[in-house]
DNA sequence: ATTAACGGTGCAACCGGTTGTACAACCATG
DNA sequence: CATGGTTGTACAACCGGTTGCACCGTTAAT
């Protein structure tokens, strides 16, 4: 077919082909009201003819934007994406940006090498905005972004971090989610409740527990709170140990749906019926939640909407909007495990 | 501390501060031999003083490069990264680029929306090169890249695809890996061998099987070849079915280490000893391989090196090198399961 | 003393777009 | 017919760097 076009057509060529000046060609292609319909048509035809696409570098220099937004990930990617819920979040971002001309790219910055490169490109202004997916760590980069004044959106709740009025923040209300889960247990009449959470140092875990306690108070003593990992296996192990310790429980609040699947599996194995003997509530509304038996009652975290929101705010900030803080609401999804 | 610097310092300011012209300042910062040591010192000091970092947009326009390399992912990210081995590959890329000034970014292009955005930015020349991680699909984008003449590296073996002499290719020799695994079985004296592979339509699976057969020939009949998924559960299920069908086997060749863990679990459960009664060989040298009991003998695919190689080739192509095809070699890792 | 060679520097053009402003052509109005 | 207001276009400057080339002041060679 066509030979590989090593040299891309420039605006000048389009202008010449259409018999107008560069400036007119530019305005015509950008649909300026100052150009006549007829000229626009001619220029567009010429552009199509030579297969013209405005060069990003020239355009970026002129308009002061690269139209690229970096999604900053400071953990190893495999850690992040082993939880498929995160791709929901990303989908939200791309969904929101799909109507704009902005392109999201993922920037891994887990090693210090990577962070240095990232820092360099931030300083060079390679990106118009940054969405930080896991702002708990990597504060050095945040500091850089702050100094440079790069529009930045933090996803996650940072307790009293120093950037509140410089960066935007989007997060789901984990405490609210915890309250919803605990409330559901209470309404169901469950009294002896155990919580199988994720890692103790995770901020979301802390908040969710606070939510549980806001409802259950003393009826959820420390010895009934188990910290573990996020996986199904962790839930399984934790439940086995519970049973071994002969702790009576008629309700288990889980830190994630994956944990919940493990918990349910362990109960099944022990001949304990869910939800007849014991109620289980998950967290996340992971895709497996609806598929397991019994279908899992869980707390839905609006990750996709969070992504959309983050991207939307990033665009607003690029256009000069002030930083904002947005709290997304959790939702109880009633299924069969309660 | 310092106020957010909304407006970054330009080269002109540095030049003025150092009392030289812009061109001299530029040359000094780029370490041109035409500038005296003394002037360089002065300029560098001035640059440090005002905290100067060359603006990516201006620089990109002048030198014709953005110094950003896109890592193109055409599958959902969660699918790719649920297998942690892939982050090895990415580490290889960043490792190789860390000595250059290039920044790798991940570009997800699984939806058609995303592909359109990506296409647009390719046309605009937002990236200096592209590394396609899963070039089996998304050939439309490859076509665009070909036409634009963007340096592109494909990771994976594409049987007779039409881009061989336009793009570079890097892949591991799966057939060789298959031979190594089968050879190890043979040397161990195993005769009745079963293969539990991944999906039948996966090119790597096809090649690995070809490698097995190159060594085992007729002693690996079709009825002993099982196609399944990549997960531990798949290996477990497949083995259960084997046992149910009372097929005698003294060796199992697995398509992935995760499959192998499931296989071993099923044998253990059935009271069959690995490696006394039956030998198991995995594939990938996944991080769990060394940790399970018995430690898994497996075929190591040099993913990190593949990543480094891909990035290196991308850099070479940016500098005008011709496309190349690189085959990485597999390696047998001897542990206890054989 | 004249000139060639050379190291160091600055002017100006360039990369490829966008945009403020001047200007020409046209129309309607007084 | 002169005037003023539109409308459509082009010139030129600008974004922020890099780079070819001319120029200057030395020093060394003739």
């Amino acid at each position: 077919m066509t030979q590989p076009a090593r040299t891309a057509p420039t605006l000048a060529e389009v202008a010449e082909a259409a018999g107008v000046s560069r400036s007119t060609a530019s305005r015509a292609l950008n649909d300026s009201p100052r150009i006549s319909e007829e000229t626009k048509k001619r220029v567009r035809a010429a552009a199509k003819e030579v297969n013209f696409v405005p060069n990003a570098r020239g355009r970026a220099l002129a308009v002061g934007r690269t139209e690229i937004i970096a999604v900053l990930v400071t953990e190893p990617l495999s850690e992040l994406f082993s939880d498929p819920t995160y791709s929901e979040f990303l989908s939200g971002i791309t969904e929101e940006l799909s109507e704009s001309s902005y392109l999201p790219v993922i920037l891994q910055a887990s090693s210090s090498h990577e962070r240095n490169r990232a820092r360099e490109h931030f300083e060079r202004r390679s990106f118009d905005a940054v969405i930080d997916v896991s702002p708990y760590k990597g504060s050095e980069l945040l500091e850089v972004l702050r100094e440079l004044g790069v529009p930045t959106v933090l996803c996650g709740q940072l307790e009293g971090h120093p950037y509140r009025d410089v960066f935007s923040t989007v997060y789901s209300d984990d405490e609210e989610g915890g309250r919803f889960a605990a409330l559901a247990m209470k309404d169901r009449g469950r009294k002896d409740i155990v919580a199988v959470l994720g890692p103790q140092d995770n901020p979301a875990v802390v908040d969710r527990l606070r939510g549980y306690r806001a409802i259950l108070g003393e009826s959820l003593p420390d010895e009934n709170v188990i910290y573990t990992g996020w996986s199904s296996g962790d839930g399984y192990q934790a439940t086995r140990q519970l049973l071994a310790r002969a702790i009576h429980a008629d309700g288990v609040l889980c830190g994630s749906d994956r944990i919940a699947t493990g918990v349910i599996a362990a109960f099944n194995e022990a001949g304990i019926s869910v939800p007849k003997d014991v109620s289980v509530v998950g967290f996340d509304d992971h895709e497996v939640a609806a598929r397991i038996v019994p279908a899992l009652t869980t707390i839905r975290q609006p990750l996709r909407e969070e992504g959309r929101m983050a991207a939307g705010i990033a665009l607003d900030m690029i256009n000069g909007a002030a930083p904002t803080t947005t709290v997304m609401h959790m939702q109880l999804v009633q299924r069969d495990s309660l």
Side-chain angles (χ1 to χ4, degrees), chain A residues 99-166:
Chain A
E99 285 142 38
S100 74
S101 58
Y102 279 81
L103 178 79
V105 299
I106 298 171
L107 195 53
Q108 187 182 8
S110 42
S111 76
S112 76
H113 249 326
E114 291 167 338
R115 272 196 288 276
N116 280 337
R117 273 281 154 282
R119 178 203 171 103
E120 218 170 89
H121 274 81
F122 289 156
E123 290 174 327
R124 296 184 184 181
R125 299 286 199 316
S126 289
F127 309 105
D128 292 346
V130 175
I131 298 176
D132 191 343
V133 172
S134 46
Y136 311 109
K137 319 169 190 172
S139 58
E140 356 137 14
L141 278 182
L142 290 185
E143 186 55 36
V144 172
L145 291 170
R146 194 186 65 77
E147 273 182 23
L148 295 171
V150 175
T152 300
V153 181
L154 310 179
C155 300
Q157 189 176 9
L158 272 70
E159 280 300 331
H161 73 79
Y163 307 114
R164 185 134 301 183
D165 47 354
V166 183

Side-chain angles (χ1 to χ4, degrees), chain A residues 14 26 30 44 75 82 92 95 98 102 107 111 124 127-128 147 160 212 214 256 262 320:
Chain A
V14 176
S26 170
N30 290 328
R44 285 194 197 118
E75 323 168 17
S82 60
E95 218 173 273
S98 72
Y102 279 81
L107 195 53
S111 76
R124 296 184 184 181
F127 309 105
D128 292 346
E147 273 182 23
Y212 295 157
S256 79

Side-chain angles (χ1 to χ4, degrees), chain A residues 89 136 153-159 164 168-176 207 301-302 306 309-310 313 324-330:
Chain A
F89 180 79
Y136 311 109
V153 181
L154 310 179
C155 300
Q157 189 176 9
L158 272 70
E159 280 300 331
R164 185 134 301 183
S168 287
T169 307
V170 176
Y171 64 92
S172 294
D173 191 338
D174 282 295
E175 184 174 336
E176 178 185 56
D207 289 342
Q301 175 172 353
E306 231 178 291
M309 188 60 75
I313 293 175
T324 58
T325 296
T326 309
V327 183
M328 310 292 292
H329 290 290
M330 298 282 193

Side-chain angles (χ1 to χ4, degrees), chain A residues 244-306:
Chain A
R245 280 160 54 203
I247 293 185
H248 175 72
D250 59 7
V252 180
L253 294 165
C254 301
S256 79
D257 288 350
R258 289 160 71 211
I259 290 176
T261 62
V263 169
I264 290 177
F267 279 132
N268 278 341
E269 212 175 275
I272 299 173
S273 162
V274 178
K276 217 165 117 264
D277 304 328
V278 55
S279 294
V280 175
V281 175
F283 224 114
D284 287 343
D285 199 19
H286 189 288
E287 56 168 348
V288 307
R291 290 206 313 252
I292 62 171
V293 179
L296 190 62
T297 292
T298 188
I299 303 297
R300 181 172 131 67
Q301 175 172 353
L303 270 170
R304 174 178 294 259
E305 291 79 357
E306 231 178 291

Side-chain angles (χ1 to χ4, degrees), chain A residues 34-92:
Chain A
R34 285 167 44 183
I35 302 294
S36 70
E37 249 339 292
E38 199 255 313
T39 305
K40 281 184 191 171
K41 249 188 208 123
R42 221 169 56 244
V43 173
R44 285 194 197 118
K48 182 146 259 173
E49 178 65 29
V50 300
N51 226 319
F52 171 78
V53 176
N55 179 299
R57 300 186 287 263
R59 192 180 150 83
L61 182 54
V63 304
R65 302 199 229 107
T66 61
E67 302 198 315
I68 299 181
I69 292 181
V71 177
L72 182 63
V73 180
T74 42
E75 323 168 17
L77 286 177
S78 59
E79 204 167 294
L80 196 61
F81 289 105
S82 60
D83 191 344
T85 46
Y86 251 104
S87 48
E88 278 288 299
F89 180 79
L90 281 184
S91 301

Side-chain angles (χ1 to χ4, degrees), chain A residues 200-246:
Chain A
Q200 182 160 15
D201 58 355
N202 185 294
V205 165
V206 175
D207 289 342
R208 290 170 187 184
L209 178 59
R210 193 177 321 123
Y212 295 157
R213 286 240 159 91
I215 302 298
L216 302 172
E218 293 309 308
S219 41
L220 182 63
D222 280 348
E223 60 265 31
N224 281 15
V225 175
I226 301 169
Y227 297 102
T228 174
W230 291 112
S231 78
S232 176
D234 293 316
Y236 181 84
Q237 299 290 350
T239 308
R240 294 281 296 232
Q241 283 167 26
L242 273 180
L243 294 170
R245 280 160 54 203

